[in-house]
Amino acid sequence: MRQSSLVVVANRLPLDDNAAPDGACEWRRSPGGLTSALHTILEQTPATWVGWAGGLGPAPALPDIGSLRIRPVALSEAELRGYYEGFANSTLWPLYHDAVEPPVFDRDWWETYQAVNLRFAQATAEVAERGAAVWVQDYHLSLVPRYLRELRPDLLIGFFLHVPFPPPELFMQLPRRVELLSGMVGADLVGFQRPQAAHNVAQLAAKLLAAQATDDQITLADGRVVRTGAFPVSIDVAEMQSLARRPAVVTRARQLRHDLGEPRRVLLSVDRLDYTKGIEHRLTAYSELLRDGRIKVRDTCMLQVAVPSRERVDSYRALRDRIEGEVGRINGEYGRVGEAAIHYLNQPFDRAELAALYRTADVMVVTPLRDGMNLVAKEFVAAREDGAGALVLSEFAGSADELQHAFLVNPHDVDGLKDTLLRAMRAEPADLRARMGAMREHLRGHDIIAWARAYLSALDHSGRLANQLPPAGGPKPRGAAAKARAIIPRSRSVARRRPPA
Ligand code: ADP
Ligand code: F6P
């Protein structure tokens, strides 16, 4: 068994399986914020990635990606339902996102969540060198830090939560709250997107675990010290900048605008089709602006990209039906022949097409009801080499802490959202340029490598881990996974496939 000094553990691998046209299995880069972010770092850092490959049954053997080794973890159909679709995405996901959709508490899912977390911990213990650092990612794997500490006390263990951590009064609803919190604080360092999350965890650790806790340190009842802190995640800024500057992407952006009928203003949203993203509130605001005559279809057009996500989970299917009904209603009521009010695309796109979409937009509308970070907002800023374009950004996205020069908005306040959309559409070019310049300046110093460096330096003060990372912002040789096709049609992947009718 080959072992590594750095092991990353995440639900999804950076590669996903996909049937090629001839029926053979083809491996392509996985979509999603977490995998894109980590893949950029690890492609150039000697490490092992432990994760699920997106299919069912025995884990396939997977090749290395550059210097990155892959250790797949198998999931059965029942485990996919109980662990991923159930406890992770129907209990924790809604609970951690302010319960904007009611969390489901199903006692059977807990057993499966524990069993799968233990399997991830065992797989990690096998591939970690003595004294290695292990970096566990996200809410799917909250119990792994504790299991791993029991299996391998020699390891240095980090945990990073990509999604928000809820206020104590919400977390207290969770029937398995003590076990879950104990699982996370099995780590030496627990990282969050925003400082408020560390504060919430400190309060809960004091209440539920009888710990001594401040916002950056928790001393457990047995005396072990766990450090906590905020490490806002970012994107591969250099990659998005270089994509957006490609002549083919610039030409494609012009073509898209032409295909949209050369409206004066293009509003763009790019989301996973998720109830946390505020798509329905946004559609209401847009349709009321049309109804009130404050915008006209021939001047303004809205492009809503909503990539399919977690399609076997009831709440996601219901959301899709509601959104598609509403888009149909708005187009029926306000569209004209050859002039749709909303262009709705329920498809994945490759990175170059996304860059072209970002360049086409006059106003990027990112209005989640709650979001850990929202990397799409950062991708839009990175793509705007031309310094133009307005970003309308929810106060409830983690990225709002950093992108303070956006048009910040409370998406629950539909009147406020309408006014902010209009302000962004009518803003002076000089104002937009100044805002965009400030946001781009911030991103230059805060890319994905800077994030990994900050986290790994806090985990391992010797600097050994951080020194293995490529330089922030520098040109990077691209490895095998980057060359692999950039996107997977989600509909073909088991976890995303629509259930039989
Ligand atoms: P989340 O992690 O909740 O999905 P983020 O905004 O942080 O939200 O990350 C979403 C990631 O998925 C971004 O990197 C974005 O570019 C990518 N993405 C979103 N929509 C699409 C799409 N239609 N096709 C391909 N990738 C997409
Ligand atoms: O950002 C939260 C997250 O769950 C990530 O872990 C993941 O990359 C993304 O959303 C997409 O979700 P899924 O892996 O369920 O398709």
Side-chain angles (χ1 to χ4, degrees):
M1 175 67 57
R2 293 186 304 169
Q3 294 189 318
S4 295
S5 59
L6 174 63
V7 182
V8 166
V9 197
N11 172 58
R12 244 180 229 293
L13 285 170
L15 294 177
D16 210 350
D17 63 341
N18 178 69
D22 61 2
C25 189
E26 220 173 54
W27 293 93
R28 296 183 184 173
R29 181 167 150 181
S30 304
L34 184 157
T35 46
S36 316
L38 285 164
H39 159 265
T40 300
I41 303 161
L42 295 173
E43 190 191 0
Q44 302 164 70
T45 311
T48 297
W49 185 319
V50 178
W52 170 55
L56 293 177
L62 288 171
D64 296 352
I65 307 172
S67 55
L68 177 64
R69 293 171 185 164
I70 302 289
R71 168 65 165 88
V73 174
L75 287 185
S76 68
E77 170 70 28
E79 287 166 345
L80 191 72
R81 287 198 182 274
Y83 149 76
Y84 171 78
E85 295 170 349
F87 197 79
N89 285 319
S90 300
T91 305
L92 294 183
W93 178 269
L95 187 74
Y96 283 18
H97 288 85
D98 282 355
V100 294
E101 185 80 23
V104 181
F105 300 116
D106 179 317
R107 279 172 281 179
D108 294 340
W109 293 344
W110 173 247
E111 299 300 320
T112 317
Y113 185 79
Q114 284 179 291
V116 172
N117 269 249
L118 183 59
R119 183 173 314 144
F120 272 82
Q122 285 164 338
T124 306
E126 279 172 25
V127 297
E129 257 175 40
R130 176 147 196 86
V134 176
W135 195 3
V136 185
Q137 312 286 325
D138 232 353
Y139 60 101
H140 314 87
L141 303 177
S142 317
L143 306 180
V144 169
R146 181 167 178 196
Y147 288 152
L148 203 51
R149 180 167 298 281
E150 285 162 9
L151 289 167
R152 290 284 305 271
D154 59 299
L155 299 175
L156 189 58
I157 304 170
F159 179 78
F160 185 80
L161 188 69
H162 290 253
V163 300
F165 190 87
E169 55 275 24
L170 267 182
F171 188 81
M172 290 299 285
Q173 291 180 11
L174 192 67
R176 297 303 186 147
R177 59 201 185 189
V178 173
E179 291 95 323
L180 208 91
L181 195 61
S182 308
M184 279 170 55
V185 298
D188 295 290
L189 173 67
V190 182
F192 302 97
Q193 304 279 25
R194 302 179 102 166
Q196 181 64 41
H199 178 72
N200 294 347
V201 165
Q203 285 188 301
L204 284 160
K207 190 177 174 83
L208 296 175
L209 307 180
Q212 299 283 327
T214 63
D215 287 2
D216 55 13
Q217 187 163 303
I218 298 171
T219 307
L220 298 169
D222 65 4
R224 193 169 64 80
V225 174
V226 182
R227 285 165 300 125
T228 61
F231 303 86
V233 73
S234 194
I235 59 164
D236 188 345
V237 176
E239 181 203 43
M240 184 49 77
Q241 281 178 340
S242 80
L243 264 177
R245 132 169 20 110
R246 275 190 201 164
V249 169
V250 177
T251 308
R252 176 69 185 145
R254 271 196 223 109
Q255 179 67 41
L256 281 167
R257 203 167 181 103
H258 174 76
D259 294 347
L260 291 168
E262 304 287 355
R264 286 203 11 244
R265 291 282 176 266
V266 176
L267 272 57
L268 172 70
S269 292
V270 176
D271 306 284
R272 264 186 317 101
L273 210 166
D274 196 299
Y275 48 80
T276 59
K277 303 290 182 183
I279 302 172
E280 292 177 287
H281 294 62
R282 194 184 299 153
L283 291 178
T284 303
Y286 184 67
S287 108
E288 287 190 11
L289 286 172
L290 288 168
R291 181 198 65 194
D292 302 345
R294 295 169 85 186
I295 56 172
K296 299 263 180 298
V297 165
R298 77 186 70 86
D299 294 334
T300 310
C301 126
M302 183 174 184
L303 191 51
Q304 172 69 63
V305 176
V307 69
S309 183
R310 305 172 189 166
E311 290 202 290
R312 306 201 313 180
V313 177
D314 288 347
S315 49
Y316 285 76
R317 277 157 44 203
L319 174 75
R320 181 180 167 156
D321 289 347
R322 292 198 304 274
I323 286 176
E324 295 186 352
E326 185 60 4
V327 167
R329 185 193 68 76
I330 296 171
N331 275 333
E333 212 157 314
Y334 301 105
R336 294 144 60 106
V337 174
E339 283 178 350
I342 302 181
H343 292 256
Y344 166 76
L345 300 168
N346 181 231
Q347 302 156 32
F349 294 107
D350 65 25
R351 308 291 302 161
E353 184 72 359
L354 283 174
L357 285 163
Y358 293 143
R359 281 200 72 128
T360 307
D362 296 295
V363 181
M364 180 81 199
V365 190
V366 183
T367 52
L369 304 177
R370 176 60 75 192
D371 211 325
M373 175 51 60
N374 202 299
L375 295 177
V376 165
K378 293 187 173 181
E379 288 174 358
F380 171 69
V381 171
R384 294 316 293 246
E385 282 279 297
D386 57 357
L391 174 63
V392 172
L393 180 60
S394 165
E395 293 163 10
F396 299 100
S399 50
D401 287 351
E402 296 171 86
L403 304 179
Q404 285 281 315
H405 289 83
F407 292 83
L408 294 177
V409 69
N410 170 5
H412 299 273
D413 169 12
V414 173
D415 288 330
L417 179 53
K418 287 159 68 179
D419 291 342
T420 308
L421 288 174
L422 284 179
R423 250 187 344 117
M425 279 189 255
R426 293 171 182 167
E428 292 297 327
D431 177 27
L432 294 180
R433 220 165 273 285
R435 288 168 180 264
M436 189 55 83
M439 292 190 288
R440 289 176 62 78
E441 179 58 32
H442 174 82
L443 275 196
R444 265 192 287 279
H446 296 84
D447 69 357
I448 187 64
I449 305 284
W451 170 73
R453 190 175 296 285
Y455 186 91
L456 293 177
S457 310
L459 179 62
D460 166 30
H461 293 301
S462 76
R464 174 181 63 90
L465 292 168
N467 287 341
Q468 293 177 27
L469 294 168
K476 301 182 266 291
R478 311 303 300 178
K483 284 192 215 106
R485 286 189 49 197
I487 206 73
I488 312 144
R490 288 183 168 226
S491 54
R492 293 229 187 115
S493 171
V494 165
R496 302 174 180 124
R497 194 176 52 211
R498 220 157 286 154

